[in-house]
Amino acid sequence: MEPVMAIAVGLMYAAAIYMMLRRSIVKLVIGLMLLSNAANLLIFTSAGMTRGAPPLIPPGAVVPDGIVADPLPQALILTAIVIAFGVLAFAVVLIHRAYNILRTDNLDQMKDTDT
């Protein structure tokens, strides 16, 4: 399963870079979101694709029973999702404001407005 996930991560990175190189600022933000999702999937895949029980220690035991899931990658991905959502919300507001002022989403035309 890991090789399939590695290929999926690579395709997501390729699509994200392609979208970020487009001239439209909307496509740039879509590429940024694809990039963050690819990074989350990369962390998830590199942590190992094993099924395990929640990492809870029963009363009176020193270690958990059986195979347990590693909570660190899950915490990292959850944090990354929250940060990515904040970045997306900021980018959407910024795009909306830029479009209202300049009436374009083309990055080349936005450069022409600099003084």
Side-chain angles (χ1 to χ4, degrees), residues 57-105:
I57 300 174
V62 179
V63 294
D65 296 332
I67 299 174
V68 295
D70 187 11
L72 182 63
Q74 296 172 12
L76 288 174
I77 291 170
L78 183 61
T79 304
I81 289 170
V82 171
I83 292 170
F85 181 73
V87 168
L88 174 67
F90 177 73
V92 167
V93 169
L94 191 63
I95 288 170
H96 185 264
R97 179 74 174 150
Y99 183 78
N100 283 342
I101 292 172
L102 302 174
R103 295 290 181 209
T104 185
D105 72 336

Side-chain angles (χ1 to χ4, degrees), residues 33-47:
M33 290 311 299
L34 268 175
L35 189 69
S36 69
N37 288 333
N40 291 342
L41 193 59
L42 178 67
I43 293 169
F44 180 70
T45 304
S46 65

